[in-house]
Amino acid sequence: MLAVVITLAAVGTAMATLPAGIAVTTFVRATLGSNKPHGGVNVHADHVRLHSKGATDVAMQTITSPPGGSSGWHSHPGLAVVAVQSGTVTFYDKHCKTTQYGPGQAFVEAGDAPQLVRNNTTSNAVLYVTLIVPTSATSLRIDKPQPADCAAH
């Protein structure tokens, strides 16, 4: 039985697509609303709302991607707001539909579906990322296998 579990774990790991060529720097991970009785956040101002039902962390990262760099297929245990500081990246959804983002543009990664961000240009790209995740999350990203709908990306 243990051999089967180990084999299945190895197969799941082998199917995941890991980041390639990118440099990720996490500057901080801090608990949001830790002074509240239930740890949640409920703020609404100027048509923007942030609501969580439990303890929530905020993490900030810088991601630098050289030409050809890739995030690998992944998801997040909450959501990630990604702002492009320089360069251009291509976002691939679970159906391999692509959207390009350049300097001054932003996008959100959310949900359990696999997604990939790749630098398909000949210049470096720099992204600033704010992640909002459950405090219980042990990692800021979840590696995923490449979706069946997608050719190699």
Side-chain angles (χ1 to χ4, degrees):
M1 177 80 163
L2 181 59
V4 171
V5 171
I6 292 171
T7 301
L8 288 175
V11 169
T13 302
M15 292 174 48
T17 59
L18 301 176
I22 64 172
V24 179
T25 302
T26 302
F27 290 99
V28 66
R29 180 170 174 170
T31 301
L32 181 64
S34 58
N35 57 345
K36 305 284 184 184
H38 300 289
V41 175
N42 190 6
V43 180
H44 182 232
D46 296 327
H47 305 288
V48 176
R49 182 178 186 129
L50 176 61
H51 175 81
S52 70
K53 291 185 178 183
T56 305
D57 282 359
V58 174
M60 306 207 54
Q61 298 178 327
T62 298
I63 299 176
T64 303
S65 177
S70 170
S71 67
W73 289 97
H74 69 284
S75 67
H76 298 283
L79 60 92
V81 179
V82 182
V84 181
Q85 192 271 332
S86 63
T88 300
V89 295
T90 302
F91 174 87
Y92 295 80
D93 71 11
K94 66 181 180 180
H95 302 293
C96 286
K97 179 181 175 227
T98 62
T99 307
Q100 285 192 329
Y101 296 95
Q105 294 182 309
F107 57 97
V108 176
E109 295 181 356
D112 192 45
Q115 55 218 345
L116 180 137
V117 178
R118 184 173 172 81
N119 181 352
N120 292 325
T121 72
T122 58
S123 301
N124 286 343
V126 177
L127 311 174
Y128 295 138
V129 182
T130 301
L131 297 112
I132 304 172
V133 302
T135 298
S136 61
T138 57
S139 177
L140 296 175
R141 74 174 265 136
I142 302 163
D143 293 325
K144 296 284 189 170
Q146 179 176 313
D149 291 351
C150 299
H153 289 287

